[in-house]
Amino acid sequence: IAETTANYEITVLTGTLTVTKRTVTFTSCGDTKTYDGQPLTCKDYELTGNTFLADNETSEAYFNSAPTEAGSVSNDFSVIIRKADGITNSSDNYILNYVFGTLTIERRAITIKTGSDQKVYDGTALTCADENDYTIIGTIAEGQTVNYTNAASIVNADTIENTVDAFIIGSDGDKSLNYVINYDYGTLTITKLAITLASNDYEKVYDGLEIEHGGLKAYELPDGETLIPNFAQTFSDAGVKNNEFTVNIYKRSGEPSNDNYVIVYDYGT
């Protein structure tokens, strides 16, 4: 067949071949656990939204989230797509969308049970704050310890809750926010001190002058406390009367202290 191309004026129109990027969506898993001081991870993922990779291509994921503290974070990750040889990066041929799961660490609940104690009033403070006086109900994360502060203290006759503040310490500081700390308080009780106060007997022959009260018999108070008697009876005529009196008791600071005592009065004559 004879070549006839020379008989034509040929115009070549170039078409365009276009390969558009494939849109795919990767979704990471989520997980939940109670705080234990260890990282929470979840490294499963899948193609979602009815999307898929080109034949024989594969994906590999790199996860960025590994929380250790209580709270919730996104399970962030990124994906690289490899061609069939398992080496060549094909990610630029895709539009990569991500749906992140959620990693949640829930706070660990413990209860601090405090002890109880009591004594008779002696002017000194009552506490029950030795570590052996506290019981932890539940468990804390391995390697952590419970420290205590602001322990209750009582000086005057009364009953109060044996309150305390607890906080959890780990190797890198305070971990208390990872816990729900409940309290079961014992009590501190100081009961009133019973004392008997007796006035002296006193007598004289009538002389028209008021009789002296004669003072009080020996007594003992807690260290630093003082007693001021107030005698009610004064008379000058012949006769016999009870040597009645009341007292005011004060601490060294000047604070009234009568409410810390059960006072029995024994009146002389």
Side-chain angles (χ1 to χ4, degrees):
I1 300 175
E3 173 62 52
T4 62
T5 303
N7 298 319
Y8 294 87
E9 181 178 332
I10 300 174
T11 300
V12 177
L13 299 177
T14 303
T16 301
L17 299 176
T18 302
V19 178
T20 60
K21 291 186 176 185
R22 179 183 293 272
T23 299
V24 292
T25 299
F26 289 96
T27 299
S28 63
C29 60
D31 201 0
T32 300
K33 72 170 183 177
T34 299
Y35 174 77
D36 61 3
Q38 301 302 313
L40 173 62
T41 60
C42 185
K43 296 188 176 182
D44 293 330
Y45 71 102
E46 60 182 348
L47 279 164
T48 56
N50 198 30
T51 60
F52 53 90
L53 301 181
D55 288 347
N56 298 318
E57 295 200 341
T58 58
S59 63
E60 56 191 56
Y62 297 88
F63 287 85
N64 305 313
S65 299
T68 59
E69 308 292 322
S72 294
V73 300
S74 295
N75 190 16
D76 297 350
F77 73 115
S78 58
V79 168
I80 293 177
I81 298 173
R82 304 288 185 187
K83 290 186 177 293
D85 61 9
I87 299 174
T88 305
N89 190 334
S90 186
S91 301
D92 288 343
N93 295 312
Y94 293 83
I95 297 172
L96 303 177
N97 296 319
Y98 294 96
V99 177
F100 299 132
T102 301
L103 299 176
T104 298
I105 297 179
E106 297 176 339
R107 297 166 71 191
R108 178 179 291 272
I110 62 172
T111 297
I112 305 298
K113 181 178 176 63
T114 65
S116 297
D117 201 358
Q118 70 175 39
K119 70 174 182 177
V120 176
Y121 176 77
D122 62 3
T124 64
L126 173 64
T127 61
C128 185
D130 187 274
E131 287 199 8
N132 294 327
D133 297 321
Y134 301 125
T135 301
I136 303 172
I137 300 172
T139 58
I140 60 175
E142 184 177 356
Q144 297 182 0
T145 58
V146 182
N147 287 11
Y148 302 95
T149 188
N150 297 326
S153 176
I154 183 174
V155 175
N156 293 320
D158 200 355
T159 296
I160 65 171
E161 289 185 326
N162 186 19
T163 58
V164 71
D165 293 328
F167 55 99
I168 316 299
I169 297 297
S171 59
D172 57 347
D174 192 344
K175 297 298 181 181
S176 302
L177 293 179
N178 296 303
Y179 292 82
V180 177
I181 303 176
N182 302 302
Y183 294 91
D184 182 4
Y185 296 129
T187 57
L188 298 176
T189 299
I190 293 181
T191 58
K192 293 185 177 185
L193 173 61
I195 61 172
T196 298
L197 299 175
S199 56
N200 289 314
D201 296 329
Y202 187 79
E203 67 177 275
K204 71 173 183 176
V205 176
Y206 173 77
D207 59 5
L209 300 176
E210 288 187 353
I211 193 169
E212 296 180 7
H213 56 70
L216 300 182
K217 294 181 180 179
Y219 60 87
E220 185 175 347
L221 297 178
D223 185 48
E225 305 219 340
T226 57
L227 178 152
I228 299 176
N230 304 293
F231 287 90
Q233 297 291 354
T234 59
F235 68 101
S236 57
D237 294 331
V240 177
K241 290 187 178 181
N242 286 335
N243 190 10
E244 296 180 4
F245 67 100
T246 60
V247 297
N248 291 317
I249 302 174
Y250 297 94
K251 296 176 180 288
R252 181 178 285 115
S253 64
E255 176 188 354
S257 191
N258 283 50
D259 288 342
N260 294 310
Y261 296 84
V262 176
I263 302 174
V264 177
Y265 291 97
D266 181 7
Y267 301 131
T269 57

